[in-house]
Amino acid sequence: NKVVEAIRQSSGKKEIKLVYQAVTSQNRLALVANGTVDLECGSTTNNAARAKEVSFAVNYFYAGSRLLVKKAAHIKGLADLAGKTVATTTGTTTFGQLRKLSLEKNLNLSVVPAKDHADGFLLLESGRAMAFAMDDILLAGLLLNAKNPADYEIVGEPLQVEAYACMLRKDDPAFKKLVDDTLLGMMKSGEFDKLYNKWF
């Protein structure tokens, strides 16, 4: 909303229609890269591989990918899942990281792709996976809406740190500057802290 307001001010146009577009972990990069979506502000990790297809604004949040497990399973970390099934969402950085760690640590994990975060939680809830690996902030959000949140816990050291940033199309330096300036202005003014405290 602040970016849209900045566009209004810089363009002098009072009527700029904001259209929300649902995206998934699998299609978000393509929709930004092909121009269907101008700005994606979600839980998207800013990394070098993705930066080949899209641009990123300034990082605004840092998460760690961890494990959501049933308390009754007594799982405390990735090593406890050796030879077991772990779910994670297709199209996320956690998917590749789990496979890499499984090979490096000889864990023989069976990594099951979930179509989205809710599906990943369902795989855990139904017992088809022993853990759901995802960014800790997303796992905390899923727990808030769980039928029995007390039955679950987020465990383990972060598998990796995820730097979130808004995605925008490549080769549009003017738009990137506007987005960066808007976010940095909010951070400097304290408005960003107020939003962070409200929502997190």
Side-chain angles (χ1 to χ4, degrees):
N1 288 331
K2 291 295 283 188
V3 169
V4 171
E5 184 55 39
I7 293 170
R8 281 191 189 105
Q9 289 179 9
S10 67
S11 68
K13 295 179 181 177
K14 291 190 177 183
E15 293 301 319
I16 294 178
K17 187 178 178 188
L18 180 60
V19 178
Y20 289 99
Q21 169 74 45
V23 299
T24 66
S25 297
Q26 295 105 311
N27 69 14
R28 59 190 169 180
L29 261 71
L31 291 175
V32 171
N34 71 20
T36 301
V37 171
D38 295 302
L39 185 66
E40 187 266 355
C41 301
S43 58
T44 302
T45 300
N46 175 358
N47 64 27
R50 290 174 173 170
K52 292 175 183 173
E53 297 178 54
V54 296
S55 286
F56 285 95
V58 62
N59 294 341
Y60 63 80
F61 189 84
Y62 292 87
S65 52
R66 296 178 64 202
L67 303 167
L68 181 62
V69 297
K70 290 180 179 177
K71 285 182 182 176
H74 303 291
I75 294 166
K76 297 301 173 196
L78 196 61
D80 295 331
L81 291 166
K84 306 245 184 325
T85 300
V86 180
T88 193
T89 307
T90 302
T92 63
T93 54
T94 305
F95 195 89
Q97 184 67 10
L98 272 177
R99 287 188 164 173
K100 180 180 172 216
L101 288 170
S102 180
L103 287 171
E104 285 175 359
K105 297 180 183 286
N106 198 28
L107 295 174
N108 195 30
L109 298 175
S110 175
V111 181
V112 177
K115 65 180 182 191
D116 55 31
H117 305 323
D119 184 46
F121 182 76
L122 183 62
L123 289 168
L124 170 64
E125 186 180 45
S126 66
R128 289 178 285 165
M130 291 297 294
F132 176 46
M134 190 43 53
D135 300 351
D136 50 12
I137 190 68
L138 301 175
L139 296 176
L142 286 168
L143 273 183
L144 287 174
N145 295 308
K147 291 176 203 166
N148 300 301
D151 292 349
Y152 301 90
E153 61 185 339
I154 300 169
V155 301
E157 292 295 316
L159 306 177
Q160 63 186 2
V161 174
E162 307 287 347
Y164 291 176
C166 293
M167 277 194 300
L168 53 151
R169 63 188 167 273
K170 286 186 83 67
D171 306 321
D172 193 343
F175 185 49
K176 177 173 168 32
K177 181 174 180 356
L178 183 139
V179 175
D180 284 343
D181 288 350
T182 302
L183 292 172
L184 290 169
M186 292 172 70
M187 291 173 186
K188 289 175 185 173
S189 73
E191 187 176 0
F192 189 87
D193 286 341
K194 288 177 185 172
L195 285 171
Y196 181 91
N197 289 334
K198 176 181 179 180
W199 294 105
F200 295 105

